[in-house]
Amino acid sequence: MELGGDVDPQGMLVLLQDADWNAFVPERDLPPLRERLVALEQEHGTTEAHRFATARLQERGARLMHPSIGWDSPFNDYALSPCGRHLATGPDNGPLQIWEMTTGRAVNKLDTGEAGVGWEGHRDTVQWSADGTRLALAFNTNMVGLWDPFGEQVDPVGDADVTDGRDRPPAFALSPDGRRAYISMRSSHQVMGCIAALDRGHVFSTGSREDGSGPAPEMLPEALPEEFSRRIERDEWSFRRVRWSRDGTRLLGFNGGWACAVDVPGGRMRWLAHTEDVVEWSPDGRRFASIAVGSGTDVTGRLTVFESETGSAVGAPVEQLQGTLHWGMRGEAARLAVVAGDGRGVDVYDEDGRHESHLDIDTTEQIGVSYWGGGERPWAWSPSGEHGACLTSDDQIEVWSLGDDPACVRSIEVPEETAAVLWGADGVLAAIGGFTLRFVRALTGDVLGDFVNGREDEEGLAPVEDGDGLHGVYTADVFPLDDTTWCALASPPEGSGTNLVIAPAERRADLDGLLAWVVDRRFAWPVRWGDLNLVEDAEAAAAELA
């Protein structure tokens, strides 16, 4: 869609009226159109051009969506898509949500069953495929499933139930092509685990095909080299955390102070490295690092950076305060930030473990050191690697420029008990707590979206019970606008229910901070640019839907 150069409101309306909307491709055309209309609104307010474009998008299937996931649903885990444009958040129970970072709005929900996603404190339970078109989840306690994050189908494409039913999610790694996953499980082989198809329906296995179903999982039959068995003092290996190499030829992971690389297929262990503690890999998979902790009350440890190809150390260990490891990329080179808790600051290293700078930041205590601290992620690199964002002890995010002379460029207030900061596309940060999610521009501090999950209608404020019929096929999709006001959409949001909202008329403007028109379950469009049909109660809604 060609829109030409800068135009006034009437000129933009004419351009939109003359445009070939049959040739409109949301992935290509919607972001630049939205950007043009944001600029037009900043100068002229909401115009007929905004309303015209919204009407065309409604004709093409744009639907209203709210982000609420219901009572008692804290976020267990979350992950950015590889391009940084979408965030997936997995609640303790209820649907997984997909958010567009640019707008700070929910754009899709996926059904994960009553048990929800992951397990409190465990990370890596939400994983995107390398191309961002598939999403794998540890769900229903012990299962691993695969979803299309932007598809019409809310159920998994396929899933695997191959573990022994432990009270925690399985360690797993999604393959780069997004079609299968390594899943940790007991087996008769020395290298534990299997590789299960996730795109071919339901897979069930206990390690014996006599009581299995679906495509047979691929086992790892190669024996451990005797040298490695002697070093770890056992004749079997399993991963505590694991990832798949970018070229699809290896599994990289660690357990109990040891890191290793295992070939796929087969399971031949290529190398074994003694790391003493938790390991983190660089985004490109070329490096990994670990801090050997001190003894007693000593907070000083030894940081070592390793090569992933060989497992060999890159240079000698360096003295480093104990903390959590956070890799980023600056161009083709990796960078490492070590966040020490209790206000002891952040140290930045290059990919070979050479110290670059110490940042005097009053860091938060909750930095993700403990076994149950998987949801705590106090540091986020910008996609360029030129900036970093860090949570502080006083509910702030400090944004730092990390050139030759590092400096704090902005402090941003975040909700109490925020546990994680993620840096996505277009300079947008996601600040995530147990029940809170705030989207904010890193370099300006502008808040794009501010949400609280898990509200319960204890006082019966909803205009109608969730799921109750409104008229014909329509039911009520109830959501809270805030602690004192509950509203509802018509479900399905189509036909005469496309723009219907049960809400107080005086709260129309407030709906823009929560709802969005959603296109292709991928892009959010401001509610204020379209016409909402607000009604006061279920009776009025039924009349409108008749």
Side-chain angles (χ1 to χ4, degrees), residues 67-78 88-99 108-120 125-126 137-141 433-435 453-454:
S68 175
I69 60 173
W71 172 73
D72 194 24
S73 297
F75 296 120
N76 273 346
D77 204 2
Y78 21 82
T89 57
D92 184 57
N93 62 69
L96 179 132
Q97 297 165 291
I98 305 294
W99 307 79
N108 203 14
K109 298 178 184 179
L110 305 175
D111 186 9
T112 59
E114 293 184 1
V117 178
W119 196 275
E120 182 184 2
T125 62
V126 178
L137 308 173
F139 76 111
N140 197 24
T141 306
F435 291 93
N453 277 334

Side-chain angles (χ1 to χ4, degrees), residues 92-156:
D92 184 57
N93 62 69
L96 179 132
Q97 297 165 291
I98 305 294
W99 307 79
E100 187 186 25
M101 291 292 292
T102 300
T103 57
R105 294 293 183 273
V107 293
N108 203 14
K109 298 178 184 179
L110 305 175
D111 186 9
T112 59
E114 293 184 1
V117 178
W119 196 275
E120 182 184 2
H122 290 262
R123 63 177 60 194
D124 303 333
T125 62
V126 178
Q127 299 182 29
W128 292 82
S129 62
D131 63 2
T133 63
R134 289 291 185 267
L135 190 66
L137 308 173
F139 76 111
N140 197 24
T141 306
N142 301 123
M143 297 177 66
V144 178
L146 186 70
W147 278 259
D148 177 352
F150 309 113
E152 292 187 42
Q153 179 178 329
V154 298
D155 297 323

Side-chain angles (χ1 to χ4, degrees), residues 38 42 54-55 69-70 93 115 136 186 197 202 269 277 320 355 372 374 444 449 452 492 496 532:
V38 166
Q42 289 173 345
T54 304
I69 60 173
N93 62 69
R186 297 293 302 177
H202 180 64
M269 188 176 284
D277 208 352
Q320 168 62 48
H355 190 267
W372 297 107
T444 66
V452 178
S496 54
L532 294 179

Side-chain angles (χ1 to χ4, degrees), residues 49 62 79 92 135-136 157 180 226 254 262 289 337 344 357 359 381 390 407 424 446 468 473 482 503 521 536:
D92 184 57
L135 190 66
V157 175
R180 55 201 177 123
E226 291 185 9
F254 77 93
V262 169
R344 296 195 297 269
S357 58
L359 313 180
W381 286 99
C390 189
D446 296 334
D468 276 5
V473 300
D482 53 33
R521 296 162 297 278
E536 62 182 8

